[in-house]
Amino acid sequence: MARTRAQDYDTKRLAILQRSAELFARFGFPGTSINMIAEACGVSKALLYHYYPDKEALLFDILNDHLQELVEVMGQASASTEDPKLRVRAIAMALLDAYRDADAEHQVQIANLKLLSDERRELLLAMERQLVVCLSDALADALPEIGRGPLLKPLTMSMFGMLNWHYLWFREGKGLTREEYADMVTALILTGAPQVAQPEMGNDKVSRIGR
């Protein structure tokens, strides 16, 4: 007979995910033991195993929940306006807002995705590809000079880079707000990319700028 789930099962599961993500981000996945997770969550190892059979299942659920949320909020942002340029800004703001209080999950995603089994990793990579397609579609629509040409991918990944690594320097309540940084990233991308795409800004000229 299957064991009945407690009414607070999901609440406890989310608490376990959050504490585990904090430990993985601080000590690394290999450096975090089941004992450390159980102690941090204030539960027994037996109860922890009721939720997750091993650390990899826990890691997968952290990243699965995190990426599902990102896919959802980016989709909502993309559908929130018909204006292509406003759509780019909406996506930037949605990502920065989703990263609020999710620094640990974000760090775990960057550092530990490769540690999962091929099958589990592929499920998560498929969601990452959804995120890339969502932003690249928005940029292609907003920047006809770029369109779906060879600069679209580096432009898309450059914008992700500005947004994904902000946690290294961004501090809530100090300096720029998330809204102001979303405006800044959007302006840099939407005003800078057309100049790079100009024919006279060919590879030689771009190379000189980079020196």
Side-chain angles (χ1 to χ4, degrees):
M1 182 176 176
R3 185 173 177 175
T4 304
R5 284 188 172 183
Q7 290 184 342
D8 61 351
Y9 179 92
D10 286 334
T11 301
K12 288 183 176 177
R13 183 184 72 84
L14 291 175
I16 291 171
L17 292 182
Q18 184 176 12
R19 291 296 296 132
S20 300
E22 292 168 358
L23 291 171
F24 290 158
R26 182 176 179 184
F27 300 107
F29 180 75
T32 303
S33 68
I34 288 291
N35 281 334
M36 292 167 66
I37 296 171
E39 183 178 349
C41 295
V43 301
S44 66
K45 283 176 62 177
L47 182 60
L48 191 58
Y49 282 124
H50 172 60
Y51 287 85
Y52 295 100
D54 51 48
K55 278 202 309 177
E56 185 181 320
L58 190 47
L59 175 61
F60 173 77
D61 218 13
I62 290 170
L63 300 182
N64 190 51
D65 271 20
H66 181 56
L67 286 169
Q68 278 187 350
E69 182 186 357
L70 295 184
V71 169
E72 182 178 345
V73 300
M74 279 188 70
Q76 291 171 350
S78 179
S80 66
T81 176
E82 295 293 324
D83 186 297
K85 294 186 177 180
L86 290 180
R87 185 179 303 129
V88 174
R89 197 273 180 189
I91 289 173
M93 188 61 237
L95 276 177
L96 290 174
D97 208 32
Y99 292 155
R100 190 191 308 270
D101 301 323
D103 282 355
E105 290 83 351
H106 190 54
Q107 292 178 52
V108 172
Q109 178 194 350
I110 292 172
N112 296 308
L113 184 62
K114 60 189 176 187
L115 300 178
L116 292 169
S117 66
D118 291 346
E119 182 179 0
R120 283 174 164 165
R121 186 168 60 250
E122 183 51 41
L123 289 171
L124 301 179
L125 288 174
M127 283 193 277
E128 287 191 343
R129 286 193 287 272
Q130 283 182 259
L131 300 177
V132 172
V133 168
C134 182
L135 181 56
S136 65
D137 283 350
L139 290 172
D141 291 342
L143 294 165
E145 306 90 337
I146 300 295
R148 299 193 176 277
L151 292 178
L152 181 59
K153 183 174 182 179
L155 185 67
T156 301
M157 301 317 292
S158 295
M159 185 164 175
F160 267 122
M162 284 191 276
L163 298 170
N164 287 349
W165 293 96
H166 84 291
Y167 74 90
L168 291 173
W169 59 268
F170 184 87
R171 297 295 178 267
E172 204 79 57
K174 298 182 179 179
L176 291 177
T177 64
R178 291 176 190 273
E179 290 77 9
E180 289 169 340
Y181 187 55
D183 288 339
M184 178 180 170
V185 171
T186 304
L188 286 171
I189 292 293
L190 296 184
T191 61
Q195 297 183 43
V196 176
Q198 290 174 11
E200 61 270 24
M201 290 287 288
N203 290 335
D204 291 344
K205 202 164 186 177
V206 172
S207 296
R208 287 199 298 275
I209 292 173
R211 290 174 187 166

